[in-house]
Amino acid sequence: QLLESGGGLVQPGGSLRLSCAASGFTFSNYAMSWVRQAPGKGLKWVSGISDSGERTYYADSVKGRFTISRDNSKNTLYLEMNSLRAEDTALYYCAKDSRPYGSSYLDYWGQGSLVTVSA
Amino acid sequence: SYVVSQPPSVSVAPGQTARITCGGNNIGFISVHWYQQHPGQAPLLVIFDDSDRPSGIPERFSGSSSGNTATLTISRVEAGDEADYFCQVWDSSSEQQVFGGGTKLTVL
């Protein structure tokens, strides 16, 4: 199970941190990803992190503004979002990768956490 | 970065076969994965590594990939198959996951 939290309403230029609590599998053995979906739009991959946290990956649209991290002792994935823009408004899904390195399919998804960026 | 394209919509009558395509440069040489998403729900993996099915996914769902096109095929389409479908690949050059724009399957 993947349970996201931390979403909400934030002003443009503001910051927010999303969390994803994982259970039911060995969290430290798998890469994880964040995927977002703007209202009425398709899926957009945001960021990924390897099993150990050594390798991180970002979409061009969030590079330099968002930071992905994980705490394997707490079975929790994070997404620190800074300099938020209106176009970052979306439902943010946490998803488990099927392999350790973050380059494969996403076999389990959370229900999402809504982030709204508006003045 | 790598780009994959899907038709915005596909329509099919119940009992018929739906084919949803995912186009990309030499996509036949990389693994393609497919997700189903019903309104208000999280995506569900239906095909991975071009043609493998996760446990619990009906055999009516199948996949193939060759050349510049990957295809998700849904046989004997049912009303419950009406959903959005997304293809996904890993772009090794940019080290990014890439999703297609999605295809809305309508069951007539």
Side-chain angles (χ1 to χ4, degrees):
Chain A
Q1 183 182 7
L2 299 170
L3 187 61
E4 302 94 338
S5 61
L9 175 64
V10 60
Q11 292 187 338
S15 299
L16 212 55
R17 186 175 87 154
L18 301 182
S19 300
C20 172
S23 60
F25 65 98
T26 305
F27 181 72
S28 58
N29 285 356
Y30 298 96
M32 299 292 294
S33 275
W34 289 99
V35 178
R36 69 185 182 185
Q37 187 169 34
K41 303 297 184 182
L43 301 174
K44 296 289 187 183
W45 176 81
V46 173
S47 182
I49 187 168
S50 63
D51 56 346
S52 65
E54 280 188 17
R55 301 205 66 177
T56 58
Y57 315 93
Y58 296 95
D60 292 344
S61 59
V62 306
K63 206 170 291 184
R65 300 188 299 123
F66 290 12
T67 302
I68 191 171
S69 62
R70 64 191 296 162
D71 186 337
N72 286 344
S73 69
K74 296 182 178 179
N75 290 345
T76 302
L77 174 73
Y78 302 100
L79 185 68
E80 185 76 38
M81 303 183 292
N82 298 318
S83 303
L84 282 162
R85 307 165 179 167
E87 54 264 36
D88 296 319
T89 294
L91 186 63
Y92 284 72
Y93 291 105
C94 163
K96 170 188 168 291
D97 197 286
S98 60
R99 292 170 189 159
Y101 298 116
S103 60
S104 189
Y105 54 93
L106 305 173
D107 52 5
Y108 289 100
W109 297 62
Q111 289 303 306
S113 182
L114 182 62
V115 173
T116 303
V117 184
S118 175
Chain B
S1 59
Y2 196 80
V3 175
V4 290
S5 57
Q6 299 181 235
S9 62
V10 167
S11 298
V12 64
Q16 299 303 303
T17 297
R19 294 179 178 85
I20 298 171
T21 59
C22 179
N25 187 39
N26 290 321
I27 200 170
F29 289 100
I30 58 177
S31 292
V32 182
H33 321 299
W34 291 92
Y35 303 86
Q36 176 194 66
Q37 187 181 35
H38 287 109
Q41 296 187 18
L44 173 71
L45 179 71
V46 293
I47 292 289
F48 65 94
D49 292 345
D50 297 343
S51 58
D52 290 334
R53 257 188 334 272
S55 60
I57 301 302
E59 291 183 8
R60 301 185 297 105
F61 288 79
S62 62
S64 63
S65 185
S66 178
N68 294 321
T69 304
T71 303
L72 171 68
T73 300
I74 309 171
S75 304
R76 302 181 300 282
V77 165
E78 303 173 356
D81 298 331
E82 186 164 285
D84 292 323
Y85 292 85
F86 298 89
C87 61
Q88 175 239 319
V89 301
W90 171 256
D91 178 13
S92 57
S93 61
S94 64
E95 294 191 320
Q96 296 176 345
Q97 298 279 21
V98 179
F99 283 94
T103 298
K104 180 175 181 57
L105 176 66
T106 299
V107 181
L108 301 171

Coordinates of all heavy atoms in Angstrom, one line a residue, chain A residues 68-113:
Chain A
I68 N 13.7 14.9 -4.7 CA 13.1 13.6 -4.3 C 14.1 13.0 -3.3 O 15.3 13.1 -3.4 CB 12.9 12.6 -5.5 CG1 12.1 11.4 -5.0 CG2 14.2 12.2 -6.1 CD1 11.6 10.5 -6.2
S69 N 13.6 12.3 -2.3 CA 14.4 11.6 -1.3 C 13.6 10.5 -0.7 O 12.4 10.4 -0.9 CB 14.9 12.6 -0.2 OG 13.8 13.1 0.5
R70 N 14.3 9.7 0.1 CA 13.6 8.6 0.8 C 14.3 8.3 2.1 O 15.5 8.5 2.2 CB 13.6 7.3 -0.1 CG 14.9 6.8 -0.5 CD 14.8 5.7 -1.6 NE 14.1 4.5 -1.2 CZ 13.5 3.7 -2.0 NH1 13.7 3.8 -3.4 NH2 12.9 2.6 -1.6
D71 N 13.5 7.7 3.0 CA 14.0 7.3 4.3 C 13.6 5.8 4.4 O 12.5 5.5 4.7 CB 13.5 8.1 5.4 CG 14.1 7.7 6.8 OD1 14.6 6.6 6.9 OD2 14.0 8.6 7.7
N72 N 14.6 4.9 4.1 CA 14.3 3.5 4.1 C 14.0 3.0 5.5 O 13.3 1.9 5.7 CB 15.4 2.7 3.4 CG 15.4 2.9 1.9 OD1 14.4 3.3 1.3 ND2 16.5 2.5 1.3
S73 N 14.5 3.6 6.5 CA 14.2 3.2 7.9 C 12.8 3.5 8.3 O 12.2 2.9 9.2 CB 15.1 3.9 8.9 OG 14.9 5.3 9.0
K74 N 12.1 4.4 7.6 CA 10.7 4.8 7.8 C 9.8 4.4 6.7 O 8.6 4.7 6.7 CB 10.6 6.3 8.0 CG 11.4 6.9 9.3 CD 11.2 8.4 9.4 CE 11.9 8.9 10.7 NZ 11.7 10.4 10.8
N75 N 10.3 3.7 5.7 CA 9.5 3.2 4.6 C 8.8 4.4 3.9 O 7.6 4.3 3.6 CB 8.5 2.1 5.0 CG 9.2 0.8 5.3 OD1 10.4 0.6 5.0 ND2 8.5 -0.1 5.9
T76 N 9.4 5.5 3.8 CA 8.8 6.7 3.3 C 9.5 7.4 2.2 O 10.7 7.5 2.3 CB 8.5 7.7 4.5 OG1 7.8 7.1 5.5 CG2 7.8 8.9 4.0
L77 N 8.8 7.8 1.2 CA 9.3 8.6 0.1 C 8.8 10.0 0.2 O 7.7 10.3 0.7 CB 8.7 8.0 -1.2 CG 9.0 8.7 -2.6 CD1 10.5 8.5 -3.0 CD2 8.1 8.2 -3.6
Y78 N 9.7 11.0 -0.2 CA 9.4 12.4 -0.1 C 9.5 13.1 -1.5 O 10.3 12.6 -2.3 CB 10.3 13.1 0.9 CG 10.3 12.5 2.3 CD1 11.2 11.6 2.7 CD2 9.2 12.8 3.2 CE1 11.2 11.0 4.0 CE2 9.2 12.2 4.4 CZ 10.2 11.3 4.8 OH 10.1 10.8 6.1
L79 N 8.8 14.2 -1.6 CA 9.1 15.1 -2.7 C 9.0 16.5 -2.2 O 7.9 17.0 -1.8 CB 8.0 14.9 -3.8 CG 8.3 15.8 -5.1 CD1 9.6 15.3 -5.8 CD2 7.1 15.7 -6.0
E80 N 10.1 17.2 -2.1 CA 10.2 18.6 -1.7 C 10.0 19.5 -2.9 O 10.8 19.3 -3.9 CB 11.6 18.8 -1.1 CG 11.7 20.2 -0.5 CD 11.0 20.4 0.9 OE1 11.0 19.4 1.7 OE2 10.4 21.4 1.1
M81 N 9.0 20.3 -2.9 CA 8.7 21.1 -4.1 C 8.9 22.6 -3.7 O 8.2 23.1 -2.8 CB 7.2 20.9 -4.5 CG 7.0 19.4 -4.8 SD 5.3 19.1 -5.4 CE 4.4 19.4 -3.9
N82 N 9.7 23.3 -4.4 CA 10.0 24.7 -4.2 C 9.7 25.5 -5.4 O 9.5 25.0 -6.5 CB 11.5 24.9 -3.8 CG 11.8 24.2 -2.5 OD1 11.1 24.3 -1.5 ND2 13.0 23.6 -2.5
S83 N 9.6 26.8 -5.3 CA 9.3 27.7 -6.4 C 8.1 27.2 -7.2 O 8.2 27.2 -8.4 CB 10.5 27.9 -7.3 OG 11.6 28.3 -6.5
L84 N 7.0 26.9 -6.5 CA 5.9 26.3 -7.2 C 5.2 27.3 -8.1 O 5.1 28.5 -7.9 CB 4.9 25.8 -6.1 CG 5.3 24.4 -5.5 CD1 4.6 24.2 -4.2 CD2 5.1 23.3 -6.5
R85 N 4.7 26.7 -9.2 CA 4.0 27.5 -10.3 C 2.6 27.0 -10.5 O 2.3 25.9 -10.1 CB 4.8 27.4 -11.6 CG 6.3 27.7 -11.5 CD 7.0 27.2 -12.7 NE 8.4 27.5 -12.7 CZ 9.3 26.9 -13.5 NH1 8.9 26.1 -14.5 NH2 10.6 27.2 -13.4
A86 N 1.8 27.8 -11.1 CA 0.4 27.4 -11.3 C 0.4 26.1 -12.1 O -0.5 25.2 -11.9 CB -0.3 28.5 -12.1
E87 N 1.3 25.9 -13.0 CA 1.3 24.7 -13.9 C 1.8 23.4 -13.1 O 1.7 22.3 -13.6 CB 2.2 24.9 -15.1 CG 3.6 25.3 -14.8 CD 3.8 26.8 -14.9 OE1 2.8 27.6 -14.6 OE2 4.9 27.3 -15.4
D88 N 2.2 23.6 -11.8 CA 2.5 22.4 -11.0 C 1.2 21.9 -10.3 O 1.3 20.8 -9.7 CB 3.5 22.8 -9.9 CG 4.8 23.2 -10.5 OD1 5.3 22.5 -11.4 OD2 5.4 24.1 -10.0
T89 N 0.1 22.6 -10.5 CA -1.2 22.1 -9.9 C -1.6 20.7 -10.5 O -1.7 20.6 -11.8 CB -2.3 23.1 -10.2 OG1 -2.0 24.3 -9.5 CG2 -3.7 22.6 -9.8
A90 N -1.7 19.8 -9.7 CA -2.0 18.4 -10.2 C -2.2 17.5 -9.0 O -2.0 17.8 -7.8 CB -0.8 17.9 -11.0
L91 N -2.7 16.3 -9.3 CA -2.8 15.2 -8.4 C -1.4 14.5 -8.5 O -1.0 14.0 -9.6 CB -3.9 14.3 -8.7 CG -4.2 13.1 -7.7 CD1 -4.6 13.6 -6.4 CD2 -5.3 12.2 -8.3
Y92 N -0.7 14.3 -7.4 CA 0.6 13.7 -7.4 C 0.5 12.3 -6.8 O 0.1 12.1 -5.7 CB 1.6 14.5 -6.5 CG 2.0 15.8 -7.2 CD1 1.2 16.9 -7.4 CD2 3.3 15.9 -7.7 CE1 1.6 18.0 -8.0 CE2 3.7 17.0 -8.4 CZ 2.9 18.1 -8.5 OH 3.3 19.2 -9.2
Y93 N 0.9 11.3 -7.7 CA 0.9 9.9 -7.3 C 2.3 9.5 -6.9 O 3.3 9.8 -7.6 CB 0.4 9.1 -8.5 CG -1.0 9.2 -8.9 CD1 -1.4 9.9 -10.0 CD2 -2.0 8.5 -8.2 CE1 -2.7 10.0 -10.4 CE2 -3.4 8.6 -8.6 CZ -3.7 9.4 -9.7 OH -5.0 9.4 -10.1
C94 N 2.3 8.7 -5.9 CA 3.5 7.9 -5.6 C 3.4 6.5 -6.2 O 2.3 5.9 -6.2 CB 3.6 7.8 -4.0 SG 4.7 6.6 -3.3
A95 N 4.5 6.0 -6.8 CA 4.4 4.7 -7.5 C 5.7 3.9 -7.2 O 6.8 4.5 -7.2 CB 4.2 4.9 -9.0
K96 N 5.5 2.6 -7.1 CA 6.6 1.7 -6.9 C 7.1 1.2 -8.2 O 6.3 0.7 -9.1 CB 6.1 0.5 -6.0 CG 7.1 -0.6 -5.9 CD 6.5 -1.8 -5.2 CE 7.4 -3.1 -5.3 NZ 7.4 -3.5 -6.7
D97 N 8.4 1.3 -8.4 CA 9.1 0.7 -9.6 C 9.2 -0.8 -9.3 O 9.3 -1.3 -8.2 CB 10.4 1.3 -9.8 CG 10.9 1.1 -11.2 OD1 11.4 0.0 -11.5 OD2 10.9 2.1 -12.0
S98 N 9.3 -1.6 -10.4 CA 9.4 -3.0 -10.3 C 10.8 -3.5 -10.0 O 11.0 -4.6 -9.7 CB 8.8 -3.7 -11.5 OG 9.6 -3.3 -12.7
R99 N 11.8 -2.6 -10.2 CA 13.2 -2.9 -10.0 C 13.9 -1.9 -9.2 O 13.4 -0.9 -8.9 CB 13.8 -3.0 -11.4 CG 13.2 -4.2 -12.2 CD 13.6 -4.2 -13.7 NE 12.8 -5.3 -14.3 CZ 12.6 -5.3 -15.6 NH1 13.1 -4.4 -16.4 NH2 11.9 -6.3 -16.2
P100 N 15.2 -2.2 -8.8 CA 15.9 -1.3 -7.9 C 16.3 0.1 -8.5 O 16.5 1.0 -7.7 CB 17.1 -2.1 -7.5 CG 16.8 -3.5 -7.8 CD 15.9 -3.4 -9.0
Y101 N 16.5 0.1 -9.8 CA 17.2 1.3 -10.3 C 16.3 2.4 -10.9 O 16.8 3.4 -11.4 CB 18.2 0.8 -11.4 CG 19.3 0.0 -10.7 CD1 19.4 -1.4 -11.1 CD2 20.1 0.4 -9.7 CE1 20.4 -2.2 -10.5 CE2 21.0 -0.4 -9.1 CZ 21.2 -1.7 -9.5 OH 22.1 -2.5 -8.9
G102 N 15.0 2.1 -11.0 CA 14.1 3.2 -11.4 C 14.0 3.4 -12.9 O 13.7 4.5 -13.4
S103 N 14.1 2.3 -13.7 CA 14.0 2.4 -15.1 C 13.0 1.5 -15.7 O 13.1 1.1 -16.9 CB 15.4 2.1 -15.7 OG 15.8 0.8 -15.4
S104 N 12.1 1.0 -14.9 CA 11.1 0.0 -15.4 C 9.7 0.4 -15.2 O 9.4 1.6 -15.1 CB 11.5 -1.3 -14.7 OG 10.7 -2.4 -15.3
Y105 N 8.8 -0.6 -15.1 CA 7.4 -0.3 -15.0 C 7.0 0.0 -13.6 O 7.7 -0.4 -12.6 CB 6.6 -1.4 -15.6 CG 6.8 -2.8 -15.1 CD1 6.1 -3.3 -14.1 CD2 7.8 -3.5 -15.7 CE1 6.4 -4.6 -13.6 CE2 8.1 -4.8 -15.3 CZ 7.4 -5.3 -14.2 OH 7.7 -6.6 -13.7
L106 N 5.9 0.7 -13.4 CA 5.4 1.0 -12.1 C 4.2 0.1 -11.7 O 3.1 0.2 -12.3 CB 5.0 2.5 -12.1 CG 6.1 3.5 -12.6 CD1 5.5 4.9 -12.7 CD2 7.3 3.4 -11.6
D107 N 4.5 -0.8 -10.8 CA 3.5 -1.8 -10.6 C 2.5 -1.6 -9.4 O 1.5 -2.3 -9.3 CB 4.2 -3.2 -10.4 CG 5.2 -3.2 -9.3 OD1 5.4 -2.2 -8.6 OD2 5.9 -4.3 -9.2
Y108 N 2.7 -0.6 -8.6 CA 1.8 -0.2 -7.6 C 1.7 1.3 -7.4 O 2.8 2.0 -7.5 CB 2.1 -0.9 -6.2 CG 1.9 -2.3 -6.2 CD1 2.9 -3.2 -6.3 CD2 0.6 -2.9 -6.1 CE1 2.7 -4.6 -6.3 CE2 0.4 -4.2 -6.1 CZ 1.4 -5.1 -6.2 OH 1.2 -6.4 -6.2
W109 N 0.5 1.8 -7.3 CA 0.3 3.3 -7.2 C -0.5 3.6 -6.0 O -1.4 2.9 -5.6 CB -0.5 3.7 -8.5 CG 0.3 3.5 -9.8 CD1 0.6 2.4 -10.4 CD2 0.6 4.6 -10.7 NE1 1.2 2.6 -11.6 CE2 1.2 3.9 -11.8 CE3 0.5 6.0 -10.7 CZ2 1.8 4.7 -12.9 CZ3 1.0 6.7 -11.8 CH2 1.6 6.0 -12.9
G110 N -0.2 4.8 -5.4 CA -1.1 5.3 -4.4 C -2.3 6.0 -5.0 O -2.5 6.0 -6.2
Q111 N -3.1 6.6 -4.1 CA -4.3 7.2 -4.6 C -4.1 8.7 -4.9 O -5.0 9.4 -5.4 CB -5.5 7.1 -3.6 CG -6.0 5.6 -3.5 CD -6.5 5.1 -4.8 OE1 -7.3 5.8 -5.5 NE2 -6.0 4.0 -5.3
G112 N -3.0 9.2 -4.6 CA -2.6 10.6 -5.0 C -2.9 11.6 -3.9 O -3.7 11.4 -3.0
S113 N -2.1 12.7 -4.0 CA -2.3 13.9 -3.1 C -2.4 15.1 -4.0 O -1.5 15.3 -4.9 CB -1.0 14.0 -2.2 OG -1.1 15.0 -1.3

